[in-house]
Amino acid sequence: MDEIIFRGSQKLENLQIQLSLAAQQSRVIFQAYSERGAVLANQAWNSPKMAQIQDSAKELLLWILQLADRSKDAVLRVGDPRKFLDRFITLLRNEMYRQRLIFGCIGFILGGVVGYSVANFMQKPTIFLSHMQAAVCTSYNGIDCATLIDDVPVPHIEESDDILVQIKASSVCFADVDICRGYGRRLRRLLSRYNHSSKTEFPIILGRSCSGIVLEIGQNVTKFDIGDEVYLSAPYWAQGTVSEFCVAKEFRVGHKPKRIGFEGAAGLPYVGSLALNAINMAGITKENVEGKRILVCGACTPIGCVLIQYYSILGGSEISTTSNVKAAPVAKALGADDVIIVQNQPVSKLDLEETSEPKLLKKELELRDQFDVIFVTKNVDLSRLELKKYCKPNGQIISTLSDGLFIDTLGFFLGGFFWSYVRVKCLFQNILGLPHSNFGEPEMNSSQLDILTDLVDNMQLQSVVDKVFHPHDIEQALEHVESMNSIGSSIITFR
């Protein structure tokens, strides 16, 4: 063992000696080449050829400086504003040059106008697909007729104030359930002939509000640009929003709140506009809200959720609501002070008369002071006359329900008069360049959506989303909207 260690140490010592000698030789060689390189560089720098190159470089630099000075003098001489103006006036005094200048200006203006017009005429709408998926109802036989189809023509921009939106999420509400049962069918049938995308009454695209991304805009659209995230609402008589694409007028579109996603934003435009309209109809403002008492029938309907919050934002504090047991904590969290629990389903048939919702609600209301305003966002099976008993002498009852329309019950004779009225109104709107609107629907426009956007971004208003469905589950989504367990908005997502 000692011999092995001894031989190993000898080899290491020999290796160290060899490495040391190699390093010394490398240093000597590098030093020799460095000195040789310095001598060659010095000889080259002091050679006659290098002197010629230096002289040439100096001459070139001097020529460039002289050229710059001459160019500067020429620019100052030619570009003198006074001399230029004198020459221009001299040309204008010459009648021939003056005529040429006038005709040249006219030609330039006309050419620009014609070119711009041709470019706009030749521009084609950006349509990526010819057909799209959409959740529709195919008849007025109830929510059983709701289905998903994939051969609906993709809408495209037809007028200068149109906006094409790629939909990311849409919402369904009570209005869609009523549409499946024929709500607004007469007006929808008359207005379908003015729909550029579809001239037939069926299929009807469901959904009253949505959120998405702007794909294309009309020439006169000023508030939005391609790529903007937006949300919008559609009136009951128009084609809906549960589809991959939709076209809307600029005045019905708003910028999506930045603090929430597409699903949360999709549930706000339609129901939020209805809630703001209800508050405005009641005449409630920040100045007069103090001391008022309100009752919201249906605290956790999509409209009720927004209405309670907006009334609280205005400064209201005495808010009573009706709710089932499951939704009561949500109503409290949204700002309700007094939650009236109503039993939706009696335990037994013997207790049906005593535990029905109208009976329980009457008993609870008799124990409370009268209200300034009663908002009906959910059917409570009480007539307006019955609810009036629980209002103050000057109290109001405001319903956001899509009750049956009078025009849907018109016979042949009166229906003919209504048909003529709609035709004349649409004719005048087309002549004046106005969108088809004001057919009895609540006010829904971008100014209201801007209010909702500001409230959400300032963390004053919450979007309450109950469930998110896929488009092929449209029938289940409508059944959930009708159920007693629904709290807030039901969303259809296309992502």
Side-chain angles (χ1 to χ4, degrees):
M1 188 65 181
D2 294 336
E3 185 179 357
I4 294 174
I5 295 173
F6 175 75
R7 292 182 181 277
S9 61
Q10 281 185 336
K11 289 184 179 181
L12 285 175
E13 289 176 358
N14 291 334
L15 180 62
Q16 288 177 354
I17 292 171
Q18 293 176 2
L19 289 175
S20 179
L21 292 174
Q24 289 178 1
Q25 291 176 358
S26 299
R27 186 164 56 251
V28 171
I29 294 172
F30 177 77
Q31 185 175 2
Y33 276 103
S34 297
E35 292 175 354
R36 181 61 179 169
V39 171
L40 291 176
N42 189 29
Q43 290 177 354
W45 180 259
N46 295 323
S47 65
K49 292 184 178 180
M50 181 57 66
Q52 293 177 358
I53 294 173
Q54 291 175 358
D55 294 338
S56 300
K58 291 178 181 179
E59 292 177 359
L60 178 62
L61 180 60
L62 181 62
W63 180 81
I64 292 174
L65 293 175
Q66 292 175 351
L67 179 62
D69 291 336
R70 289 196 297 269
S71 301
K72 179 180 178 182
D73 295 337
V75 169
L76 292 176
R77 185 172 59 255
V78 175
D80 189 351
R82 288 174 297 183
K83 294 181 179 180
F84 180 80
L85 183 61
D86 292 339
R87 292 174 185 172
F88 183 72
I89 292 174
T90 302
L91 290 176
L92 287 180
R93 288 173 180 170
N94 189 316
E95 184 176 355
M96 182 180 64
Y97 283 109
R98 186 166 60 248
Q99 290 179 353
R100 290 180 179 178
L101 181 62
I102 293 173
F103 284 121
C105 292
I106 294 174
F108 179 78
I109 294 172
L110 290 178
V113 172
V114 172
Y116 180 77
S117 302
V118 171
N120 286 332
F121 179 77
M122 296 294 292
Q123 184 180 8
K124 296 181 180 180
T126 307
I127 299 298
F128 301 99
L129 301 170
S130 60
H131 293 83
M132 64 178 181
Q133 286 188 336
V136 303
C137 71
T138 55
S139 67
Y140 292 132
N141 295 324
I143 60 178
D144 293 338
C145 68
T147 185
L148 178 70
I149 59 178
D150 55 6
D151 59 350
V152 178
V154 174
H156 54 273
I157 288 179
E158 294 284 348
E159 298 179 2
S160 59
D161 60 343
D162 286 345
I163 297 178
L164 176 64
V165 178
Q166 181 185 15
I167 297 175
K168 298 297 184 180
S170 180
S171 68
V172 290
C173 59
F174 281 107
D176 296 295
V177 175
D178 294 331
I179 287 171
C180 290
R181 293 169 179 160
Y183 180 77
R185 59 185 179 275
R186 184 180 293 273
L187 180 60
R188 192 176 299 108
R189 187 180 304 121
L190 295 176
L191 293 178
S192 62
R193 67 185 64 206
Y194 300 102
N195 184 4
H196 299 291
S197 302
S198 175
K199 300 294 183 181
T200 59
E201 183 179 5
F202 294 105
I204 302 169
I205 300 178
L206 299 173
R208 295 303 101 194
S209 60
C210 69
S211 61
I213 299 175
V214 175
L215 288 185
E216 188 177 356
I217 58 176
Q219 299 175 13
N220 294 338
V221 174
T222 57
K223 291 180 59 179
F224 305 94
D225 204 350
I226 295 174
D228 287 351
E229 295 184 352
V230 297
Y231 64 165
L232 58 97
S233 60
Y236 69 90
W237 46 264
Q239 289 287 7
T241 60
V242 186
S243 57
E244 293 182 283
F245 305 93
C246 79
V247 169
K249 298 295 181 183
E250 182 181 18
F251 80 97
R252 294 197 186 277
V253 182
H255 288 283
K256 183 185 78 68
K258 297 179 181 179
R259 297 188 63 88
I260 56 178
F262 288 107
E263 286 76 14
L268 279 178
Y270 185 77
V271 299
S273 297
L274 290 179
L276 296 186
N277 279 319
I279 293 289
N280 293 334
M281 289 175 61
I284 298 176
T285 63
K286 288 184 177 181
E287 289 73 22
N288 63 14
V289 70
E290 187 176 357
K292 289 187 180 294
R293 288 175 47 79
I294 68 167
L295 171 66
V296 180
C297 296
C300 289
T301 62
I303 301 173
C305 290
V306 178
L307 203 151
I308 292 173
Q309 294 182 82
Y310 189 61
Y311 183 79
S312 300
I313 292 169
L314 293 177
S317 58
E318 299 187 50
I319 306 174
S320 296
T321 63
T322 66
S323 172
N324 56 32
V325 176
K326 178 183 176 182
V330 178
K332 283 281 190 181
L334 293 176
D337 302 296
D338 173 31
V339 180
I340 301 174
I341 303 298
V342 290
Q343 176 119 10
N344 298 306
Q345 298 178 350
V347 177
S348 65
K349 293 183 179 181
L350 296 176
D351 298 329
L352 179 61
E353 185 65 24
E354 293 299 323
T355 60
S356 64
E357 184 172 333
K359 199 81 172 179
L360 288 173
L361 182 57
K362 285 182 179 181
K363 287 183 178 181
E364 292 292 337
L365 293 180
E366 288 171 357
L367 301 175
R368 288 163 172 79
D369 295 334
Q370 292 180 317
F371 301 96
D372 293 279
V373 186
I374 296 179
F375 296 100
V376 181
T377 69
K378 175 181 177 296
N379 187 8
V380 291
D381 294 328
L382 292 179
S383 66
R384 182 176 291 268
L385 186 60
E386 290 177 303
L387 288 174
K388 193 69 176 177
K389 298 177 183 178
Y390 308 105
C391 286
K392 294 180 180 179
N394 295 325
Q396 303 178 68
I397 299 174
I398 297 176
S399 175
T400 63
L401 299 176
S402 52
D403 300 323
L405 294 173
F406 173 71
I407 57 177
D408 288 336
T409 62
L410 296 178
F412 177 79
F413 184 71
L414 293 178
F417 278 103
F418 179 74
W419 178 83
S420 301
Y421 162 74
V422 172
R423 288 291 303 272
V424 171
K425 184 171 182 177
C426 290
L427 177 62
F428 276 102
Q429 288 177 336
N430 289 337
I431 293 174
L432 298 175
L434 300 174
H436 296 156
S437 60
N438 298 328
F439 289 102
E441 72 272 13
E443 183 181 3
M444 295 182 223
N445 52 48
S446 57
S447 60
Q448 289 184 320
L449 297 181
D450 291 341
I451 293 174
L452 295 172
T453 298
D454 291 339
L455 293 176
V456 173
D457 285 339
N458 292 329
M459 303 182 67
Q460 294 178 287
L461 181 68
Q462 300 181 51
S463 175
V464 181
V465 175
D466 187 10
K467 283 190 176 182
V468 178
F469 298 87
H470 291 288
H472 59 267
D473 297 324
I474 181 62
E475 186 175 346
Q476 291 91 326
L478 294 175
E479 289 175 351
H480 182 71
V481 168
E482 270 197 310
S483 71
M484 298 299 179
N485 296 323
S486 176
I487 301 175
S489 300
S490 298
I491 305 299
I492 308 292
T493 180
F494 282 91
R495 295 202 288 174

